[in-house]
Amino acid sequence: MVNRNVVLEGCITKKAIEAKVYTIDNTREVTLQTVAGKYKFSLSNVVYAKLAVQSVSGRPKDGDSGGVIYDKSTKKICGELQGMITITSGNTTTYYLSFSSAEKALSALGASITWNK
């Protein structure tokens, strides 16, 4: 999966957002504030994909979470967008998509998909 080119079809963004899978099997801590209180939880098996366009125009927008991520070459579903993360090294900040992997979820369940044409 690493180095795979993927495309996000966001829920709000009108154009496709391209990225390249950078690393898999990450754990991400999430904190949400809701009317019922503050929740903190961990997500495992998270995939990070480096955005092809790092400027604001190439990033997902608020509301794109839940958007479908496709493999650019096979057009098959890779996962679902959780959000965007940043990694800063020195003075450089790099933007990444953070998404769940359909492959890893199916594998964990002992399931597979057969594609029929």
Side-chain angles (χ1 to χ4, degrees), residues 69-100:
I69 299 197
Y70 297 92
D71 182 298
K72 187 174 180 181
S73 61
T74 67
K75 309 298 187 242
K76 293 180 181 173
I77 294 172
C78 289
E80 178 182 12
L81 181 68
Q82 297 168 344
M84 186 176 64
I85 65 150
T86 58
I87 297 176
T88 302
S89 177
N91 292 333
T92 305
T93 299
T94 308
Y95 296 87
Y96 296 84
L97 299 177
S98 170
F99 67 96
S100 59

mmCIF file of all heavy atoms in Angstrom, residues 69-100:
data_model
loop_
_atom_site.group_PDB
_atom_site.id
_atom_site.type_symbol
_atom_site.label_atom_id
_atom_site.label_comp_id
_atom_site.label_asym_id
_atom_site.label_seq_id
_atom_site.Cartn_x
_atom_site.Cartn_y
_atom_site.Cartn_z
ATOM 1 N N ILE A 69 -11.902 7.368 -0.477
ATOM 2 C CA ILE A 69 -10.554 7.425 -1.053
ATOM 3 C C ILE A 69 -10.404 6.236 -1.990
ATOM 4 O O ILE A 69 -10.667 5.096 -1.608
ATOM 5 C CB ILE A 69 -9.484 7.405 0.054
ATOM 6 C CG1 ILE A 69 -9.693 8.626 0.929
ATOM 7 C CG2 ILE A 69 -8.093 7.307 -0.550
ATOM 8 C CD1 ILE A 69 -8.572 9.029 1.806
ATOM 9 N N TYR A 70 -10.005 6.545 -3.242
ATOM 10 C CA TYR A 70 -9.858 5.525 -4.276
ATOM 11 C C TYR A 70 -8.395 5.349 -4.652
ATOM 12 O O TYR A 70 -7.618 6.288 -4.570
ATOM 13 C CB TYR A 70 -10.592 5.958 -5.559
ATOM 14 C CG TYR A 70 -12.069 6.120 -5.418
ATOM 15 C CD1 TYR A 70 -12.618 7.364 -5.094
ATOM 16 C CD2 TYR A 70 -12.922 5.052 -5.612
ATOM 17 C CE1 TYR A 70 -13.980 7.532 -4.970
ATOM 18 C CE2 TYR A 70 -14.296 5.208 -5.498
ATOM 19 C CZ TYR A 70 -14.817 6.446 -5.170
ATOM 20 O OH TYR A 70 -16.165 6.599 -5.049
ATOM 21 N N ASP A 71 -8.045 4.157 -5.123
ATOM 22 C CA ASP A 71 -6.746 3.909 -5.738
ATOM 23 C C ASP A 71 -6.801 4.587 -7.111
ATOM 24 O O ASP A 71 -7.734 4.344 -7.883
ATOM 25 C CB ASP A 71 -6.516 2.406 -5.888
ATOM 26 C CG ASP A 71 -5.154 2.090 -6.472
ATOM 27 O OD1 ASP A 71 -4.891 2.500 -7.631
ATOM 28 O OD2 ASP A 71 -4.363 1.427 -5.792
ATOM 29 N N LYS A 72 -5.841 5.440 -7.409
ATOM 30 C CA LYS A 72 -5.874 6.208 -8.655
ATOM 31 C C LYS A 72 -5.794 5.311 -9.889
ATOM 32 O O LYS A 72 -6.442 5.580 -10.895
ATOM 33 C CB LYS A 72 -4.739 7.229 -8.676
ATOM 34 C CG LYS A 72 -4.827 8.179 -9.861
ATOM 35 C CD LYS A 72 -3.799 9.269 -9.794
ATOM 36 C CE LYS A 72 -3.927 10.177 -11.005
ATOM 37 N NZ LYS A 72 -2.933 11.228 -10.979
ATOM 38 N N SER A 73 -5.015 4.231 -9.839
ATOM 39 C CA SER A 73 -4.853 3.398 -11.027
ATOM 40 C C SER A 73 -5.954 2.349 -11.183
ATOM 41 O O SER A 73 -6.455 2.146 -12.280
ATOM 42 C CB SER A 73 -3.475 2.724 -11.048
ATOM 43 O OG SER A 73 -3.335 1.887 -9.924
ATOM 44 N N THR A 74 -6.367 1.704 -10.095
ATOM 45 C CA THR A 74 -7.379 0.637 -10.213
ATOM 46 C C THR A 74 -8.798 1.151 -10.049
ATOM 47 O O THR A 74 -9.745 0.454 -10.384
ATOM 48 C CB THR A 74 -7.147 -0.460 -9.163
ATOM 49 O OG1 THR A 74 -7.394 0.080 -7.857
ATOM 50 C CG2 THR A 74 -5.753 -1.042 -9.260
ATOM 51 N N LYS A 75 -8.955 2.356 -9.505
ATOM 52 C CA LYS A 75 -10.265 2.969 -9.222
ATOM 53 C C LYS A 75 -11.053 2.227 -8.143
ATOM 54 O O LYS A 75 -12.232 2.464 -7.957
ATOM 55 C CB LYS A 75 -11.140 3.064 -10.496
ATOM 56 C CG LYS A 75 -10.463 3.691 -11.692
ATOM 57 C CD LYS A 75 -10.049 5.115 -11.442
ATOM 58 C CE LYS A 75 -9.538 5.760 -12.709
ATOM 59 N NZ LYS A 75 -8.185 6.185 -12.680
ATOM 60 N N LYS A 76 -10.402 1.355 -7.394
ATOM 61 C CA LYS A 76 -11.060 0.627 -6.312
ATOM 62 C C LYS A 76 -10.995 1.438 -5.021
ATOM 63 O O LYS A 76 -10.070 2.223 -4.809
ATOM 64 C CB LYS A 76 -10.412 -0.738 -6.110
ATOM 65 C CG LYS A 76 -10.633 -1.656 -7.302
ATOM 66 C CD LYS A 76 -9.989 -2.994 -7.096
ATOM 67 C CE LYS A 76 -10.211 -3.872 -8.319
ATOM 68 N NZ LYS A 76 -9.473 -5.117 -8.217
ATOM 69 N N ILE A 77 -11.971 1.244 -4.160
ATOM 70 C CA ILE A 77 -12.021 1.964 -2.890
ATOM 71 C C ILE A 77 -10.875 1.511 -1.985
ATOM 72 O O ILE A 77 -10.648 0.320 -1.805
ATOM 73 C CB ILE A 77 -13.369 1.726 -2.193
ATOM 74 C CG1 ILE A 77 -14.497 2.347 -3.023
ATOM 75 C CG2 ILE A 77 -13.372 2.298 -0.785
ATOM 76 C CD1 ILE A 77 -15.888 2.011 -2.531
ATOM 77 N N CYS A 78 -10.159 2.493 -1.431
ATOM 78 C CA CYS A 78 -9.064 2.217 -0.488
ATOM 79 C C CYS A 78 -9.481 2.458 0.949
ATOM 80 O O CYS A 78 -8.951 1.831 1.853
ATOM 81 C CB CYS A 78 -7.867 3.115 -0.774
ATOM 82 S SG CYS A 78 -6.994 2.727 -2.255
ATOM 83 N N GLY A 79 -10.376 3.413 1.174
ATOM 84 C CA GLY A 79 -10.743 3.727 2.540
ATOM 85 C C GLY A 79 -11.635 4.945 2.634
ATOM 86 O O GLY A 79 -12.204 5.403 1.645
ATOM 87 N N GLU A 80 -11.706 5.468 3.859
ATOM 88 C CA GLU A 80 -12.577 6.599 4.166
ATOM 89 C C GLU A 80 -11.771 7.654 4.917
ATOM 90 O O GLU A 80 -11.041 7.343 5.859
ATOM 91 C CB GLU A 80 -13.728 6.110 5.035
ATOM 92 C CG GLU A 80 -14.675 7.177 5.462
ATOM 93 C CD GLU A 80 -15.763 6.638 6.372
ATOM 94 O OE1 GLU A 80 -15.669 5.512 6.856
ATOM 95 O OE2 GLU A 80 -16.713 7.402 6.623
ATOM 96 N N LEU A 81 -11.912 8.903 4.503
ATOM 97 C CA LEU A 81 -11.158 9.998 5.103
ATOM 98 C C LEU A 81 -11.562 10.229 6.553
ATOM 99 O O LEU A 81 -12.740 10.344 6.872
ATOM 100 C CB LEU A 81 -11.371 11.289 4.307
ATOM 101 C CG LEU A 81 -10.603 12.509 4.823
ATOM 102 C CD1 LEU A 81 -9.106 12.327 4.618
ATOM 103 C CD2 LEU A 81 -11.087 13.771 4.139
ATOM 104 N N GLN A 82 -10.553 10.288 7.430
ATOM 105 C CA GLN A 82 -10.780 10.660 8.832
ATOM 106 C C GLN A 82 -10.506 12.137 9.025
ATOM 107 O O GLN A 82 -11.128 12.787 9.849
ATOM 108 C CB GLN A 82 -9.861 9.854 9.746
ATOM 109 C CG GLN A 82 -10.115 8.381 9.714
ATOM 110 C CD GLN A 82 -9.007 7.591 10.390
ATOM 111 O OE1 GLN A 82 -7.913 8.103 10.636
ATOM 112 N NE2 GLN A 82 -9.289 6.349 10.689
ATOM 113 N N GLY A 83 -9.525 12.655 8.307
ATOM 114 C CA GLY A 83 -9.161 14.055 8.450
ATOM 115 C C GLY A 83 -7.810 14.327 7.827
ATOM 116 O O GLY A 83 -7.333 13.575 6.994
ATOM 117 N N MET A 84 -7.195 15.409 8.249
ATOM 118 C CA MET A 84 -5.890 15.797 7.745
ATOM 119 C C MET A 84 -4.958 15.984 8.938
ATOM 120 O O MET A 84 -5.382 16.446 9.992
ATOM 121 C CB MET A 84 -6.012 17.097 6.955
ATOM 122 C CG MET A 84 -4.738 17.518 6.276
ATOM 123 S SD MET A 84 -4.941 18.996 5.252
ATOM 124 C CE MET A 84 -5.348 20.216 6.481
ATOM 125 N N ILE A 85 -3.705 15.598 8.758
ATOM 126 C CA ILE A 85 -2.700 15.816 9.800
ATOM 127 C C ILE A 85 -1.561 16.635 9.211
ATOM 128 O O ILE A 85 -1.432 16.737 7.997
ATOM 129 C CB ILE A 85 -2.150 14.493 10.378
ATOM 130 C CG1 ILE A 85 -1.385 13.708 9.308
ATOM 131 C CG2 ILE A 85 -3.250 13.652 10.983
ATOM 132 C CD1 ILE A 85 -0.294 12.864 9.868
ATOM 133 N N THR A 86 -0.756 17.211 10.086
ATOM 134 C CA THR A 86 0.444 17.910 9.652
ATOM 135 C C THR A 86 1.639 17.314 10.381
ATOM 136 O O THR A 86 1.534 16.889 11.527
ATOM 137 C CB THR A 86 0.382 19.418 9.961
ATOM 138 O OG1 THR A 86 0.191 19.596 11.364
ATOM 139 C CG2 THR A 86 -0.747 20.087 9.207
ATOM 140 N N ILE A 87 2.740 17.265 9.673
ATOM 141 C CA ILE A 87 4.014 16.849 10.274
ATOM 142 C C ILE A 87 4.995 17.981 10.008
ATOM 143 O O ILE A 87 5.178 18.391 8.860
ATOM 144 C CB ILE A 87 4.528 15.521 9.691
ATOM 145 C CG1 ILE A 87 3.531 14.391 10.002
ATOM 146 C CG2 ILE A 87 5.916 15.196 10.237
ATOM 147 C CD1 ILE A 87 3.871 13.055 9.398
ATOM 148 N N THR A 88 5.589 18.505 11.083
ATOM 149 C CA THR A 88 6.520 19.615 10.956
ATOM 150 C C THR A 88 7.937 19.141 11.250
ATOM 151 O O THR A 88 8.185 18.460 12.241
ATOM 152 C CB THR A 88 6.135 20.755 11.921
ATOM 153 O OG1 THR A 88 4.801 21.161 11.625
ATOM 154 C CG2 THR A 88 7.065 21.943 11.774
ATOM 155 N N SER A 89 8.838 19.492 10.360
ATOM 156 C CA SER A 89 10.258 19.195 10.525
ATOM 157 C C SER A 89 11.012 20.485 10.256
ATOM 158 O O SER A 89 10.984 20.995 9.129
ATOM 159 C CB SER A 89 10.682 18.092 9.545
ATOM 160 O OG SER A 89 12.065 17.850 9.662
ATOM 161 N N GLY A 90 11.633 21.020 11.307
ATOM 162 C CA GLY A 90 12.299 22.317 11.169
ATOM 163 C C GLY A 90 11.269 23.380 10.863
ATOM 164 O O GLY A 90 10.294 23.542 11.579
ATOM 165 N N ASN A 91 11.462 24.098 9.744
ATOM 166 C CA ASN A 91 10.519 25.149 9.337
ATOM 167 C C ASN A 91 9.508 24.666 8.297
ATOM 168 O O ASN A 91 8.740 25.468 7.764
ATOM 169 C CB ASN A 91 11.287 26.349 8.769
ATOM 170 C CG ASN A 91 12.077 27.060 9.844
ATOM 171 O OD1 ASN A 91 11.707 27.025 11.016
ATOM 172 N ND2 ASN A 91 13.172 27.686 9.450
ATOM 173 N N THR A 92 9.516 23.374 7.982
ATOM 174 C CA THR A 92 8.657 22.844 6.927
ATOM 175 C C THR A 92 7.489 22.055 7.512
ATOM 176 O O THR A 92 7.694 21.130 8.300
ATOM 177 C CB THR A 92 9.460 21.938 5.974
ATOM 178 O OG1 THR A 92 10.571 22.676 5.465
ATOM 179 C CG2 THR A 92 8.612 21.449 4.825
ATOM 180 N N THR A 93 6.278 22.410 7.124
ATOM 181 C CA THR A 93 5.077 21.680 7.521
ATOM 182 C C THR A 93 4.536 20.968 6.293
ATOM 183 O O THR A 93 4.357 21.583 5.242
ATOM 184 C CB THR A 93 4.015 22.638 8.091
ATOM 185 O OG1 THR A 93 4.561 23.279 9.255
ATOM 186 C CG2 THR A 93 2.756 21.887 8.478
ATOM 187 N N THR A 94 4.290 19.668 6.426
ATOM 188 C CA THR A 94 3.772 18.861 5.331
ATOM 189 C C THR A 94 2.398 18.348 5.714
ATOM 190 O O THR A 94 2.180 17.921 6.848
ATOM 191 C CB THR A 94 4.733 17.683 5.037
ATOM 192 O OG1 THR A 94 6.054 18.201 4.853
ATOM 193 C CG2 THR A 94 4.317 16.944 3.780
ATOM 194 N N TYR A 95 1.474 18.383 4.748
ATOM 195 C CA TYR A 95 0.083 17.993 4.987
ATOM 196 C C TYR A 95 -0.196 16.599 4.431
ATOM 197 O O TYR A 95 0.251 16.258 3.335
ATOM 198 C CB TYR A 95 -0.871 19.010 4.345
ATOM 199 C CG TYR A 95 -0.741 20.370 4.970
ATOM 200 C CD1 TYR A 95 0.198 21.288 4.512
ATOM 201 C CD2 TYR A 95 -1.545 20.731 6.039
ATOM 202 C CE1 TYR A 95 0.331 22.532 5.104
ATOM 203 C CE2 TYR A 95 -1.421 21.976 6.641
ATOM 204 C CZ TYR A 95 -0.480 22.865 6.164
ATOM 205 O OH TYR A 95 -0.349 24.094 6.754
ATOM 206 N N TYR A 96 -0.954 15.825 5.222
ATOM 207 C CA TYR A 96 -1.271 14.444 4.864
ATOM 208 C C TYR A 96 -2.759 14.175 5.080
ATOM 209 O O TYR A 96 -3.364 14.705 6.009
ATOM 210 C CB TYR A 96 -0.499 13.470 5.763
ATOM 211 C CG TYR A 96 0.995 13.534 5.607
ATOM 212 C CD1 TYR A 96 1.741 14.479 6.302
ATOM 213 C CD2 TYR A 96 1.661 12.658 4.769
ATOM 214 C CE1 TYR A 96 3.121 14.553 6.158
ATOM 215 C CE2 TYR A 96 3.038 12.719 4.615
ATOM 216 C CZ TYR A 96 3.761 13.662 5.317
ATOM 217 O OH TYR A 96 5.110 13.735 5.172
ATOM 218 N N LEU A 97 -3.320 13.306 4.230
ATOM 219 C CA LEU A 97 -4.646 12.758 4.503
ATOM 220 C C LEU A 97 -4.475 11.678 5.556
ATOM 221 O O LEU A 97 -3.470 10.963 5.566
ATOM 222 C CB LEU A 97 -5.243 12.111 3.245
ATOM 223 C CG LEU A 97 -5.471 12.993 2.027
ATOM 224 C CD1 LEU A 97 -6.006 12.141 0.878
ATOM 225 C CD2 LEU A 97 -6.432 14.111 2.355
ATOM 226 N N SER A 98 -5.429 11.553 6.419
ATOM 227 C CA SER A 98 -5.465 10.482 7.417
ATOM 228 C C SER A 98 -6.728 9.679 7.118
ATOM 229 O O SER A 98 -7.826 10.236 7.109
ATOM 230 C CB SER A 98 -5.523 11.092 8.819
ATOM 231 O OG SER A 98 -5.795 10.117 9.779
ATOM 232 N N PHE A 99 -6.554 8.372 6.810
ATOM 233 C CA PHE A 99 -7.741 7.598 6.461
ATOM 234 C C PHE A 99 -7.674 6.159 6.950
ATOM 235 O O PHE A 99 -6.607 5.630 7.221
ATOM 236 C CB PHE A 99 -8.028 7.665 4.957
ATOM 237 C CG PHE A 99 -7.023 7.005 4.050
ATOM 238 C CD1 PHE A 99 -7.213 5.704 3.596
ATOM 239 C CD2 PHE A 99 -5.923 7.705 3.589
ATOM 240 C CE1 PHE A 99 -6.315 5.114 2.716
ATOM 241 C CE2 PHE A 99 -5.016 7.125 2.714
ATOM 242 C CZ PHE A 99 -5.219 5.823 2.278
ATOM 243 N N SER A 100 -8.853 5.583 7.064
ATOM 244 C CA SER A 100 -8.961 4.168 7.412
ATOM 245 C C SER A 100 -8.744 3.370 6.133
ATOM 246 O O SER A 100 -9.101 3.802 5.042
ATOM 247 C CB SER A 100 -10.338 3.866 7.998
ATOM 248 O OG SER A 100 -11.340 4.192 7.056
#
